[in-house]
Amino acid sequence: MINFVFVLISFVLTYYVSSWFSIFLVFFVINQIYRWYRYNGRPWRKIHYKGMLLAAAAAGYTNGQSHENMLIKLASLLRGSAIPFDISDEEIVAREFDRVKKLYDKPLVKKYMISHKNSDPIKLDPLLDEAFNKIYTLDNKSLMVRIIIASAIEAFYSLDDRAEYVYEVITNNAK
């Protein structure tokens, strides 16, 4: 919103005062386009950004309680944001903990990388093993927040979008 106000101010100053203010106008317009793409460019980004804000709200709401209660609250808030979960919030969290134990996302990410990143399947297995062994632990609290968000992406969009999102998580691009 603030960036949009700067775009308007820069436009008015460029039009009424001096064309030198068009430098600021171009900068703020490019920044506005970048921010729009950053938060709306891919389907998973729309839910990731909202999910991370809701995770912060859930963490504040459940301050002092267990991490699992925060994840249940996050699932509840995501459901309130029109995510069509077909099971209860507690079942979502339990299912995703089970999926992390079984490395559910590993074959999905492998399939995504082969089809979209043109990766070599033979060289891919050791890389994925290393990445998933490093990140996928049940005590990784930030991972579990993202896995609940991945579940919402799967429910709202598709399994392929979940795979893309998890790929972006393990490559540290989901920010």
Side-chain angles (χ1 to χ4, degrees):
M1 181 69 179
I2 292 173
N3 197 48
F4 183 70
V5 170
F6 285 138
V7 168
L8 290 177
I9 291 171
S10 298
F11 178 76
V12 169
L13 290 174
T14 300
Y15 188 75
Y16 289 110
V17 179
S18 172
S19 61
W20 286 100
F21 286 105
S22 64
I23 295 170
F24 296 110
L25 178 64
V26 169
F27 171 75
F28 289 125
V29 166
I30 290 172
N31 190 347
Q32 188 72 16
I33 291 169
Y34 167 76
R35 294 173 122 235
W36 179 88
Y37 177 76
R38 179 79 177 144
Y39 298 117
N40 295 306
R42 302 288 304 152
W44 65 265
R45 286 191 186 275
K46 295 174 186 176
I47 293 180
H48 169 77
Y49 180 66
K50 184 186 288 187
M52 293 305 288
L53 291 175
L54 292 174
Y61 180 81
T62 60
N63 189 18
Q65 298 177 0
S66 75
H67 180 65
E68 190 170 337
N69 287 346
M70 190 277 291
L71 295 174
I72 291 169
K73 184 64 179 176
L74 172 60
S76 171
L77 290 171
L78 284 168
R79 183 188 309 278
S81 297
I83 304 299
F85 288 124
D86 54 350
I87 56 177
S88 73
D89 302 332
E90 293 82 8
E91 290 172 323
I92 291 167
V93 173
R95 179 186 69 190
E96 295 306 322
F97 269 106
D98 188 49
R99 284 179 170 182
V100 167
K101 285 181 197 173
K102 295 178 181 175
L103 296 176
Y104 171 81
D105 292 312
K106 186 177 171 186
L108 300 176
V109 171
K110 182 178 179 179
K111 179 182 170 191
Y112 170 78
M113 289 180 72
I114 291 169
S115 64
H116 290 85
K117 301 294 180 186
N118 298 324
S119 299
D120 181 15
I122 296 170
K123 294 179 182 177
L124 199 55
D125 282 330
L127 293 173
L128 285 176
D129 286 341
E130 180 183 340
F132 276 86
N133 289 336
K134 184 190 302 184
I135 296 173
Y136 267 57
T137 59
L138 292 175
D139 60 343
N140 187 342
K141 293 181 179 183
S142 67
L143 170 74
M144 290 310 300
V145 168
R146 285 165 173 78
I147 292 299
I148 298 298
I149 294 170
S151 181
I153 291 169
E154 178 183 356
F156 197 75
Y157 292 110
S158 70
L159 200 57
D160 290 336
D161 289 313
R162 177 190 175 112
E164 180 184 356
Y165 176 68
V166 173
Y167 169 79
E168 296 295 339
V169 166
I170 64 172
T171 58
N172 205 22
N173 290 329
K175 296 178 182 178

